[in-house]
Amino acid sequence: MSASDIEAPARSGTDKGLSKGAVGLLGSVVIGVSCIAPAYTLSAALGPTAAEVGTSLPAIFLVGFIPMLLVAFGYQQLNRAMPDSGTTFTWGSKAFGPWLGWMGGWGLLAATILVLSNLAGVAVDFLYLALAQITGNDAIAELTRNVPVNVATCLVFVALAAWISYRGMETTKAFQYVLVAFQAVVLLWFSIAAFGHVAAGTAYEGLTVRAEWFNPFGVESFSAFAAGVSLSVFIYWGWDVVLTINEETKGSATTPGRAALTTIFVIVALYMTIALAVLTFSGVSDQGLGMGNEEIQENIFAALAGPVMGPFAILMSLAVLSSSAASLQSTFVSPARTMLAMGYYGALPGKFARVTPRFQTPGYATVAAAVISAGFYAVMRVVSENVLWDTITTLGMMVCFYYGVTALACVWYFRREAFRGPKNAFTKFLAPLLGGILLLVFFGQTAYDSMDPDYGSGSQIGGVGLVFLLGVGILLLGVAMMLVQYRRNPAFFRERFETTELPVLD
């Protein structure tokens, strides 16, 4: 039996009580862009990526885009056959069985929990920076370095974002339109102003765009290349949220796939514009406003907004603040619906499958995601002064892992029909195969390199890099949680999912 033969039955058994038809194509793309959070991701990732690959920054951004595009074709085909909010978990279980499917879902949950904590941290930084700029009191910006104040503010952001997500997709969609439009306008304003400084000879470095900047083979070593790609994967990550809301989308079998591809193309165009603007303006030196300067790497826009935008610098602070706040809210959609699906099918306790009657949202799972992400941030903020950099690098590893698993799930699931025409061969086999292999190779290389205590921010425990400990520790925790759930509900793990339905928890 081919995958296309089970398309209709697979759809009929996935009614989890979520709101139907709440989001269209435009709303999906807006939520996708919001989840990626271009202002936040670039502010946090431009510096660390430039530190790894230097002026090859545009090349690495393009290389990071390629596996994202290839994997997106696989997501599109899986969603067409099985539009299910569990995405990686559900599709991995259908293709490879419950054990690997569970770990794929865990990778998605880990990535989203990591980024939720990171988003809240960036929102805190830019909240106090914006308040300092508004009041003219520079001391307010330093409040973000006060750990109790930082953590308390973070908890407020997480609570507010969870509350909006709890109230459903209509509230989420309305909240996102304004914030996404605002950050896009400010980012384009910043880019135009930076290019203007370069043209006028008033830029800090004032570099001329060169062809070698777009050559990925110009990176010094494969380790630096893999680290750079892992970071660039982070800046693209988040587009798959449009698949997670497939059960709440108009045209659930086709609209999410189109929204994913549209989101990726919009983002790569925006990223290349901003990357070239910053690179030509600042360069990559380790002094002053150079992107290699460790003192400004965690929040590159905080350092460059004033020199580039002058008196309008506060708009950039507000843009990054709104970007991180908007993404913090939209990102809650993904782990909540993944945990909902895992609870629905018996891979997590049944309480995760609870849907609020009033808002038709996964209420329990949303609250659980908020509590876990807030707790993780609080712990990491105490353990590492460079919490943003370390969690970004670890996040890149988790994304490579679960995207890779999902892409290969597409290859295996459609193996019997992959070569029924050139379109099938590309979208169901070649594209997801190449994308999945590339991402898993980058995952393995980054995991190996991150054992070095000097990797990332240089934070380490017992002579082992904190990034490695976080990445491997999170995966091992996933194995432990899976074994606990196996003891609690062995029925899910004993099933073979080559049929039309995953088992549903009674």
Side-chain angles (χ1 to χ4, degrees), residues 228-463:
V229 170
S230 182
L231 286 164
S232 71
V233 164
F234 156 73
I235 71 171
Y236 288 109
W237 175 74
W239 55 265
D240 56 313
V241 71
V242 304
L243 283 305
T244 307
I245 60 174
N246 49 25
E247 294 183 43
E248 299 154 274
T249 304
K250 299 172 185 176
S252 61
T254 56
T255 300
R258 291 200 298 266
L261 293 173
T262 302
T263 300
I264 293 173
F265 280 110
V266 168
I267 286 296
V268 71
L270 186 61
Y271 279 178
M272 291 304 295
T273 300
I274 299 165
L276 290 172
V278 175
L279 185 56
T280 54
F281 180 90
S282 292
V284 294
S285 72
D286 58 2
Q287 303 294 322
L289 297 179
M291 283 192 288
N293 186 349
E294 294 182 359
E295 295 182 1
I296 69 171
Q297 280 181 352
E298 284 196 359
N299 287 315
I300 202 78
F301 287 145
L304 298 184
V308 173
M309 301 178 72
F312 297 101
I314 188 174
L315 293 178
M316 179 57 76
S317 299
L318 293 174
V320 178
L321 172 60
S322 65
S323 175
S324 53
S327 184
L328 178 64
Q329 188 274 312
S330 60
T331 302
F332 266 110
V333 168
S334 191
R337 281 149 183 79
T338 298
M339 287 190 283
L340 169 71
M342 294 179 78
Y344 181 79
Y345 294 121
L348 283 179
K351 55 191 174 184
F352 286 94
R354 295 175 186 168
V355 172
T356 60
R358 179 181 177 186
F359 301 115
Q360 295 181 287
T361 60
Y364 184 90
T366 299
V367 173
V371 171
I372 295 169
S373 61
F376 178 81
Y377 179 82
V379 172
M380 280 297 298
R381 190 68 179 81
V382 173
V383 171
S384 172
E385 293 181 0
N386 299 295
V387 60
L388 298 182
W389 192 341
D390 291 326
T391 55
I392 284 172
T393 309
T394 308
L395 169 65
M397 292 171 58
M398 293 299 104
V399 172
C400 287
F401 171 73
Y402 89 81
Y403 274 1
V405 168
T406 309
L408 296 185
C410 176
V411 175
W412 188 250
Y413 184 78
F414 292 110
R415 64 191 183 278
R416 296 187 183 94
E417 59 181 79
F419 296 101
R420 296 177 184 174
K423 182 178 179 180
N424 270 8
F426 178 75
T427 60
K428 296 180 179 179
F429 179 77
L430 184 59
L433 178 66
L434 291 176
I437 290 175
L438 283 172
L439 289 176
L440 291 176
V441 167
F442 296 144
F443 167 78
Q445 184 67 45
T446 305
Y448 175 79
D449 293 336
S450 65
M451 288 189 288
D452 189 333
D454 294 327
Y455 189 87
S457 70
S459 300
Q460 51 88 25
I461 298 176

Side-chain angles (χ1 to χ4, degrees), residues 27 30 47 77 107 150 204 392 488:
V30 168
Q77 294 304 318
N150 185 293
Y204 175 75
I392 284 172
R488 298 181 63 173

Side-chain angles (χ1 to χ4, degrees), residues 75 82 169 221 229 346 375 388 455 480:
Y75 269 78
M82 299 175 284
M169 291 308 302
S221 67
V229 170
L388 298 182
Y455 189 87

Side-chain angles (χ1 to χ4, degrees), residues 11 59 83 155 170 179 190 207 222 255 257 285-286 326 350 368 370 393 421 433 440 449 456 472 479 488 504:
R11 293 178 193 170
L155 296 181
E170 290 293 342
L179 296 185
F190 174 89
L207 302 180
F222 183 73
T255 300
S285 72
D286 58 2
T393 309
L433 178 66
L440 291 176
D449 293 336
V472 175
V479 173
R488 298 181 63 173
V504 177

Side-chain angles (χ1 to χ4, degrees), residues 62-230:
L62 287 175
V63 171
F65 160 74
I66 291 172
M68 291 295 100
L69 181 62
L70 295 175
V71 167
F73 282 115
Y75 269 78
Q76 184 182 42
Q77 294 304 318
L78 286 168
N79 180 77
R80 189 182 297 273
M82 299 175 284
D84 190 287
S85 64
T87 58
T88 295
F89 157 73
T90 304
W91 301 334
S93 296
K94 290 292 294 267
F96 299 131
W99 296 94
L100 191 53
W102 203 100
M103 285 304 298
W106 176 261
L108 186 155
L109 291 176
T112 49
I113 294 302
L114 284 169
V115 82
L116 282 171
S117 65
N118 196 284
L119 285 162
V122 172
V124 171
D125 286 347
F126 278 89
L127 170 65
Y128 289 114
L129 177 61
L131 290 174
Q133 292 172 328
I134 292 171
T135 61
N137 184 356
D138 293 339
I140 295 178
E142 295 301 314
L143 286 175
T144 192
R145 301 182 184 277
N146 183 308
V147 174
V149 171
N150 185 293
V151 172
T153 310
C154 168
L155 296 181
V156 172
F157 272 114
V158 170
L160 288 173
W163 177 74
I164 295 174
S165 296
Y166 189 92
R167 292 181 61 85
M169 291 308 302
E170 290 293 342
T171 304
T172 295
K173 182 174 64 175
F175 180 75
Q176 299 299 334
Y177 276 123
V178 175
L179 296 185
V180 168
F182 175 68
Q183 67 174 298
V185 169
V186 174
L187 286 172
L188 291 174
W189 184 342
F190 174 89
S191 300
I192 293 170
F195 284 129
H197 279 292
V198 173
T202 56
Y204 175 75
E205 194 72 33
L207 302 180
T208 301
V209 176
R210 299 179 180 178
E212 56 261 33
W213 291 1
F214 301 89
N215 177 18
F217 299 104
V219 181
E220 293 182 357
S221 67
F222 183 73
S223 293
F225 178 83
V229 170
S230 182

